[in-house]
Amino acid sequence: QNFTNSQSLTPIRNFSSSTLHRKILSPARSAGKTKAEMSPPSERLQTKPVITCLKTFLISYSLIFWFTGVILLAVGVWGKVNLEFDLLLSSDKGTNAPYVLIGTGAIIIIFGLFGCFATCRGSPWMLKLYAMFLIIVFLAEIVAGISGFIFRHEIKAVLKEGYKRAETNYTGKDTEDLDRIQRTLQCCGEKNYTSWESTNYFKDNGIPKSCCNVTAGGNCTSEELRDLKKAALVVYQRGCFALMTTTMEANLGIIAGISFGIAFFQLIGIFLACCLSRYITNNQYEMV
């Protein structure tokens, strides 16, 4: 009987000792887990300089981004009011260019101000929304750059059509865009000075005086400008459109570099917005 009682008591003793051992260790383990999961106030306070630094950089970025929107809006309004875009974009495919610039500039201005507000407020969801908008702008710039490279020949054809139409509708009143181009680039006509022969302006007045080769010492009288043979001695010989496209293609590398620089600038804003949102969320930092 004693042997049986000793055997029956042994598991009870073992069970009670192991249970007590687990009960004693469980508070220590739970305390250690809580300490590991919850960061102390001192560590949370160390994130304040980081958040302040990120806020400063993001606000500066948002102000620059807002300023680019103001520039685009101003260029669009100026182009529409002064009809500057009718020079090379007078065809039906290009008449919406000022409106595109105005709309893009207005959207960038709104989201630039939104970025400043979200940064000052310290709202994670606002910062994420701002980062999403910057991602959309970045993708739009990439798509526009690739499309411009792929369809460069079609774009060139549209510009050529617009130039011909501007030349056909030339009136010679005041200072028109074609006059400014011909004086600046020292060229005459779309192909050359003979391109003016088919225009109504040539029938009444001859070749525009902006084609006059001042460096050659030409007098460019009305009689000379009305006669193509005499005009050949006093006007510029090079065609304007070919010279313009050649200049654009020569500067294509610079244009591509500027485009990639602008796209990289968007990545900086995306990185700053995401980092600031993550720091605020992870450290439960409330901005008042």
Side-chain angles (χ1 to χ4, degrees), residues 229-256:
K229 294 182 179 179
K230 295 179 179 180
L233 302 176
V234 295
V235 299
Y236 298 117
Q237 301 295 315
R238 296 181 300 178
C240 291
F241 186 76
L243 186 60
M244 291 173 59
T245 54
T246 302
T247 304
M248 292 175 59
E249 291 173 356
N251 296 325
L252 188 62
I254 299 175
I255 296 173

Side-chain angles (χ1 to χ4, degrees), residues 166-231:
E167 194 173 71
T168 303
N169 297 330
Y170 178 80
T171 59
K173 295 180 180 179
D174 301 327
T175 302
E176 297 192 17
D177 297 318
L178 290 180
D179 292 327
R180 183 164 54 253
I181 285 181
Q182 291 181 148
R183 291 193 184 99
T184 303
L185 298 181
Q186 296 184 352
C187 57
C188 185
E190 184 259 319
K191 292 182 179 179
N192 51 47
Y193 67 95
T194 59
S195 299
W196 287 102
E197 185 179 8
S198 58
T199 63
N200 294 326
Y201 181 83
F202 178 82
K203 297 176 182 178
D204 299 331
N205 305 283
I207 298 176
K209 290 186 178 181
S210 57
C211 287
C212 184
N213 190 351
V214 181
T215 57
N219 295 325
C220 294
T221 61
S222 299
E223 183 182 356
E224 291 175 334
L225 293 176
R226 290 173 182 272
D227 190 345
L228 289 179
K229 294 182 179 179
K230 295 179 179 180

Side-chain angles (χ1 to χ4, degrees), residues 55-256:
K55 284 179 59 181
T56 302
F57 281 115
L58 189 56
I59 289 177
S60 301
Y61 170 87
S62 299
L63 290 175
I64 296 174
F65 187 63
W66 174 84
F67 186 68
T68 58
V70 173
I71 294 176
L72 288 177
L73 180 63
V75 171
V77 173
W78 172 75
K80 185 60 182 176
V81 172
N82 295 283
L83 302 178
E84 295 293 331
F85 283 89
D86 288 342
L87 170 62
L88 294 179
L89 300 175
S90 58
S91 61
D92 296 336
K93 299 179 181 179
T95 51
N96 293 326
Y99 296 107
V100 172
L101 288 177
I102 292 173
T104 304
I107 294 174
I108 290 177
I109 289 174
I110 294 173
F111 274 91
L113 295 175
F114 178 80
C116 293
F117 175 76
T119 304
C120 295
R121 181 67 180 84
S123 175
W125 73 267
M126 287 184 179
L127 292 170
K128 291 178 181 178
L129 181 62
Y130 184 49
M132 290 178 60
F133 171 75
L134 293 178
I135 291 174
I136 294 174
V137 173
F138 171 76
L139 294 177
E141 291 172 351
I142 296 298
V143 172
I146 295 175
S147 300
F149 179 78
I150 294 177
F151 300 104
R152 61 188 184 276
H153 298 295
E154 288 79 358
I155 295 174
K156 186 176 179 180
V158 171
L159 294 177
K160 188 174 183 179
E161 178 185 351
Y163 194 97
K164 286 182 177 180
R165 182 171 298 186
E167 194 173 71
T168 303
N169 297 330
Y170 178 80
T171 59
K173 295 180 180 179
D174 301 327
T175 302
E176 297 192 17
D177 297 318
L178 290 180
D179 292 327
R180 183 164 54 253
I181 285 181
Q182 291 181 148
R183 291 193 184 99
T184 303
L185 298 181
Q186 296 184 352
C187 57
C188 185
E190 184 259 319
K191 292 182 179 179
N192 51 47
Y193 67 95
T194 59
S195 299
W196 287 102
E197 185 179 8
S198 58
T199 63
N200 294 326
Y201 181 83
F202 178 82
K203 297 176 182 178
D204 299 331
N205 305 283
I207 298 176
K209 290 186 178 181
S210 57
C211 287
C212 184
N213 190 351
V214 181
T215 57
N219 295 325
C220 294
T221 61
S222 299
E223 183 182 356
E224 291 175 334
L225 293 176
R226 290 173 182 272
D227 190 345
L228 289 179
K229 294 182 179 179
K230 295 179 179 180
L233 302 176
V234 295
V235 299
Y236 298 117
Q237 301 295 315
R238 296 181 300 178
C240 291
F241 186 76
L243 186 60
M244 291 173 59
T245 54
T246 302
T247 304
M248 292 175 59
E249 291 173 356
N251 296 325
L252 188 62
I254 299 175
I255 296 173

